[in-house]
Amino acid sequence: MKNAILLKQENLPELADRLVTPSYDRSKMKAGIVHIGVGGFHRSHEAYYTDNLMKEMDASEWGICGVGLREADRKMRDILRSQDYLYTLLIRHPDGKIETRIIGSLIDFMLSIDDPMAVIDKMASPDTKIVSLTITEGGYNFHPVTGEFMLENPDVQHDLVNPDKPKQVFAFLTAALKKRRAAGLPPFTVQSCDNIQHNGDMAKKMLLAFAKAQDPELAKWIQAHVAFPNAMVDRITPVTTPKDIDYLRDEVGVIDMWPVTCEPFCQWVIEDVFSNGRPAWEKMGAQFVADVTPYEKMKIRLLNAGHSVLGLLGSIHGHETIDGTVRDPLFAKYLRGFMDIEATPVLDQVEGIDLTAYKDNLIERFGNPNIKDNLARICLESSAKLPKFLISTIRENLASNGSIAYGTLVIAAWCLYSDKGVSRHGVALDKVDAMKDELHLAAAGTAKDVLAFLRLEPVFGDLANNPRFTTLYSEMVQALYQDPDISKLMKKVLAGN
Ligand code: CS2
């Protein structure tokens, strides 16, 4: 292999012989989008669609300025800055083919902790037309049971009295919208790209709650003028590994310190309501629809919940990746049973979508042997994910007298996972969760009180009071504590249906 070349703007002409590079003039680009939360997913999805568009037509007003709100974002900022905000996307196909392309749509990156005012000014700039978000399910600061904004959060309390030095996202949006209104500028659109049903409505509710507490007049203006399109986003994007970096250096000849790997599949369904214009993403395959509800529910209750089913059961069993787990026939059968018997009956019909084909395709996507999606990534922040992905399905089945066994076993496995934190072989599991301590404490009470885990009201609400659920859960959790070989219980669930 020829000498590897550093990923930088000035090296793009030379790199063009080795991989696909941005063919457009990056020097002319302005940041029409400010994006909060630049992780792998933003870089494989929104930034990818936008890069595609830039290749196709003049979309220079839609460059992206990334924003990080946490100290943990510094490394990404430093690496991207040193690479002129360029990075490589490795699209790994199931047959082993790897497409490599350099994405050029990201043109800047700011860290709010270094200079919060600069971030507010950027959002308030006339160039900015959209502020998009991937702040994770937990980032919206809503109470998991009541769904209300949690004003008592210490960061929120801080932000209410420090509007010029905010910490959390809703204070930045509020401060920037205030400036725009004062300057007579149209508001930007707030575009959520997180896996939450009605993510736009959720962003709106949270922002209005904060703005109302800080400036009720402004809240009214936001309510009347700011658009919050709901959207369904989809592309499986595992955590970048050193192997990705080595592959690019050794096989492709580009030195990129933080590339992104993803699957070929990509989907974005968006409601077409924008307050200040939008890129023509539909030219690149995004679907603009009047109502995204059925699409988002289908995706969250099948794909994300399917991930959680494999993630928690697979971790306890000693599997490591999604593809490895779904290739185990027992797990594949269980996943399909969960999807067909528990998730599908509570879904709405999606016009033009064949749910059977969608599920077949999901199982194929999960099985892509070149996407090594670690179960640890799937299980992280389960306390924010499961209420949305899985517990809602259990709840709806309880209401309609539908089957709950598949989902209930996942909750029992989550209890064991939170309590013991090891697979059945005794290998430690990597637990990352904002509620890690509460989860552990609650789960550890199981020996004395079999429903102890369910008493974690912010996660389970009143499920502990539902006799049909608690009877089954108690049986399962007791059996699992006696013998952590989850496959036995999985077989039992399968046999019962
Ligand atoms: C995963 C998602 O976070 C999770 O548990 O299910 O990150 C999933 O990979 C994406 O939503 C795919 O679009």
Side-chain angles (χ1 to χ4, degrees):
M1 166 92 281
K2 317 162 241 192
N3 281 347
I5 300 172
L6 274 180
L7 180 51
K8 279 201 138 307
Q9 178 70 34
E10 67 196 35
N11 295 338
L12 286 182
E14 220 181 327
L15 284 165
D17 293 343
R18 304 181 178 197
L19 70 174
V20 179
T21 54
S23 45
Y24 44 90
D25 183 357
R26 291 182 80 234
S27 68
K28 285 205 320 228
M29 285 162 58
K30 291 191 284 192
I33 302 172
V34 171
H35 182 80
I36 305 182
V38 182
F41 180 71
H42 169 69
R43 297 197 293 150
S44 73
H45 195 263
E46 182 179 349
Y48 161 84
Y49 276 93
T50 311
D51 174 79
N52 257 339
L53 187 66
M54 287 165 170
K55 281 182 185 309
E56 210 54 38
M57 57 188 272
D58 178 11
S60 51
E61 63 181 311
W62 294 111
I64 303 172
C65 169
V67 169
L69 300 181
R70 306 160 312 158
E71 184 54 40
D73 297 313
R74 189 176 296 281
K75 185 174 168 206
M76 178 74 85
R77 196 280 310 262
D78 289 349
I79 289 177
L80 285 173
R81 189 162 65 178
S82 76
Q83 298 181 172
D84 301 319
Y85 309 103
L86 295 163
Y87 63 90
T88 318
L89 194 62
L90 294 111
I91 306 176
R92 294 184 186 267
H93 292 256
D95 63 2
K97 187 175 111 195
I98 307 174
E99 285 175 68
T100 47
R101 55 185 281 175
I102 295 171
I103 304 290
S105 49
L106 200 70
I107 54 169
D108 196 2
F109 197 127
M110 303 171 88
L111 275 183
S112 68
I113 37 176
D114 286 353
D115 190 350
M117 219 44 221
V119 169
I120 295 171
D121 288 342
K122 185 77 189 170
M123 292 180 181
S125 147
D127 288 344
T128 302
K129 300 183 179 74
I130 294 175
V131 175
S132 54
L133 315 172
T134 42
I135 52 176
T136 78
E137 296 73 35
Y140 288 77
N141 191 45
F142 58 87
H143 189 282
V145 175
T146 63
E148 296 303 317
F149 187 70
M150 295 188 288
L151 270 173
E152 65 280 11
N153 174 332
D155 284 352
V156 171
Q157 287 298 318
H158 167 274
D159 291 356
L160 284 172
V161 286
N162 293 285
D164 295 342
K165 275 196 223 124
K167 292 186 176 174
Q168 43 93 44
V169 58
F170 299 107
F172 278 98
L173 295 172
T174 303
L177 286 165
K178 186 171 185 153
K179 281 196 131 189
R180 292 187 84 95
R181 184 181 60 156
L185 288 170
F188 46 70
T189 298
V190 177
Q191 185 170 25
S192 169
C193 301
D194 285 293
N195 288 314
I196 297 181
Q197 252 174 274
H198 313 315
N199 53 12
D201 297 347
M202 176 66 87
K204 180 173 186 175
K205 184 171 170 185
M206 299 300 113
L207 178 60
L208 284 177
F210 179 81
K212 207 166 155 197
Q214 195 166 60
D215 181 343
E217 270 307 303
L218 179 69
K220 280 191 200 144
W221 183 81
I222 295 175
Q223 167 115 39
H225 300 285
V226 181
F228 298 80
N230 291 310
M232 179 262 244
V233 293
D234 193 6
R235 187 169 225 183
I236 294 174
T237 308
V239 176
T240 305
T241 65
K243 275 194 185 147
D244 298 322
I245 298 174
D246 294 350
Y247 169 80
L248 284 175
R249 188 195 52 233
D250 300 339
E251 305 295 327
V252 183
V254 53
I255 301 175
D256 180 344
M257 296 314 292
W258 207 332
V260 185
T261 278
C262 64
E263 62 170 342
F265 182 92
C266 200
Q267 193 174 18
W268 200 4
V269 189
I270 317 168
E271 284 173 5
D272 204 357
V273 281
F274 284 75
S275 7
N276 195 7
R278 63 163 176 85
W281 283 313
E282 73 279 10
K283 294 205 164 24
M284 301 294 109
Q287 295 158 257
F288 283 92
V289 298
D291 179 11
V292 83
T293 313
Y295 295 92
E296 56 188 7
K297 187 166 178 189
M298 170 185 82
K299 192 256 170 168
I300 290 169
R301 303 291 188 91
L302 291 171
L303 187 151
N304 298 111
H307 260 167
S308 300
V309 168
L310 296 176
L312 283 161
L313 300 179
S315 295
I316 299 286
H317 194 66
H319 284 306
E320 281 179 8
T321 58
I322 288 289
D323 70 300
T325 312
V326 85
R327 259 197 303 281
D328 177 331
L330 175 65
F331 282 77
K333 211 166 159 207
Y334 193 91
L335 173 67
R336 191 65 196 224
F338 165 76
M339 295 202 290
D340 289 345
I341 297 167
E342 296 187 0
T344 306
V346 292
L347 287 182
D348 314 318
Q349 283 302 317
V350 186
E351 207 187 310
I353 291 210
D354 171 352
L355 276 178
T356 305
Y358 184 80
K359 288 183 273 190
D360 291 345
N361 183 246
L362 275 188
I363 291 177
E364 248 175 62
R365 289 169 62 194
F366 287 175
N368 182 338
N370 301 307
I371 296 291
K372 294 292 170 209
D373 202 3
N374 232 282
L375 300 188
R377 180 186 84 85
I378 301 302
C379 295
L380 62 83
E381 304 303 343
S382 286
S383 65
K385 292 175 181 174
L386 290 197
K388 300 274 158 204
F389 297 176
L390 185 85
I391 298 172
S392 311
T393 292
I394 298 179
R395 244 183 244 292
E396 287 168 32
N397 277 315
L398 283 169
S400 63
N401 211 17
S403 163
I404 57 163
Y406 287 87
T408 305
L409 182 59
V410 180
I411 305 296
W414 187 27
C415 175
L416 189 72
Y417 177 100
S418 306
D419 182 4
K420 310 283 183 214
V422 291
S423 75
R424 78 186 156 123
H425 308 302
V427 177
L429 301 166
D430 189 12
K431 292 191 289 174
V432 179
D433 199 302
M435 288 185 68
K436 185 173 154 192
D437 296 340
E438 290 100 313
L439 288 166
H440 177 73
L441 202 70
T446 305
K448 284 207 185 108
D449 165 13
V450 71
L451 301 183
F453 191 52
L454 300 184
R455 302 201 197 282
L456 212 52
E457 196 259 342
V459 176
F460 296 105
D462 59 359
L463 265 191
N465 301 331
N466 185 301
R468 184 167 160 234
F469 179 73
T470 52
T471 308
L472 185 60
Y473 170 83
S474 307
E475 262 173 40
M476 286 176 167
V477 92
Q478 270 159 346
L480 202 53
Y481 269 69
Q482 260 168 29
D483 178 358
D485 182 354
I486 195 102
S487 68
K488 291 186 185 148
L489 286 166
M490 290 169 69
K491 284 179 193 149
K492 213 170 149 193
V493 171
L494 282 164
N497 278 282

